[in-house]
Amino acid sequence: QVQLVESGGGLVQAGGSLRLSCAASGRAFGANVMGWFRQAPGKEREFLSAISGRGRSTYYADSVKGRFTISRDNAKNTAYLQMSSLKPEDTAVYYCAADPNYRGIYYMASEYDYWGQGTQVTVSS
């Protein structure tokens, strides 16, 4: 069992930056692929980024590539999503998720067993 708690969301102007954190507790953090997703009102949950257990491999959706950076600190049981050049269309609830049984499909929400409660990010124009 893994418990996840996101933090760092808030209101930011377009072009600004935010760093989201995802604190994990429970089973070995480093054994999990960590992913970040978001969901805007009326839209499906969207994959943003994922990082392998040791942080050696990272993956990004085209919509955030070059603007968002995923990282993790296994000593602190925490994953991060650094977001820059934010746009109003980035407004959503952001979720982190953990996949303890990675099968190579990092972009599908159904592959992740554990989810945080989400943190709201609002980007004003």
Side-chain angles (χ1 to χ4, degrees), residues 39-57:
Q39 189 165 18
K43 295 188 177 181
E44 294 187 353
R45 193 162 293 191
E46 175 190 11
F47 167 76
L48 300 177
S49 185
I51 187 167
S52 60
R54 295 186 180 182
R56 294 175 180 173
S57 298

Side-chain angles (χ1 to χ4, degrees), residues 27-47:
R27 61 176 289 174
F29 178 69
N32 294 272
V33 167
M34 297 299 296
W36 285 95
F37 292 74
R38 68 186 178 192
Q39 189 165 18
K43 295 188 177 181
E44 294 187 353
R45 193 162 293 191
E46 175 190 11
F47 167 76

Side-chain angles (χ1 to χ4, degrees), residues 11-32:
L11 175 63
V12 63
Q13 289 188 333
S17 299
L18 282 175
R19 188 177 82 156
L20 305 183
S21 298
C22 174
S25 61
R27 61 176 289 174
F29 178 69
N32 294 272

Side-chain angles (χ1 to χ4, degrees), residues 2-3 8 10 24-25 35 44 46 51 57-58 63 77 85 95 98 102 123:
V2 177
Q3 292 80 42
S25 61
E44 294 187 353
E46 175 190 11
I51 187 167
S57 298
T58 58
S63 59
N77 283 5
S85 301
Y95 299 90
Y102 182 57
V123 184

Side-chain angles (χ1 to χ4, degrees), residues 36-94:
W36 285 95
F37 292 74
R38 68 186 178 192
Q39 189 165 18
K43 295 188 177 181
E44 294 187 353
R45 193 162 293 191
E46 175 190 11
F47 167 76
L48 300 177
S49 185
I51 187 167
S52 60
R54 295 186 180 182
R56 294 175 180 173
S57 298
T58 58
Y59 310 93
Y60 295 94
D62 288 343
S63 59
V64 304
K65 196 174 296 182
R67 299 190 299 124
F68 291 9
T69 302
I70 193 170
S71 61
R72 66 190 299 160
D73 185 339
N74 287 349
K76 295 182 178 180
N77 283 5
T78 303
Y80 304 95
L81 187 68
Q82 177 68 48
M83 307 185 294
S84 60
S85 301
L86 285 163
K87 307 173 183 179
E89 51 263 44
D90 292 319
T91 295
V93 178
Y94 283 66

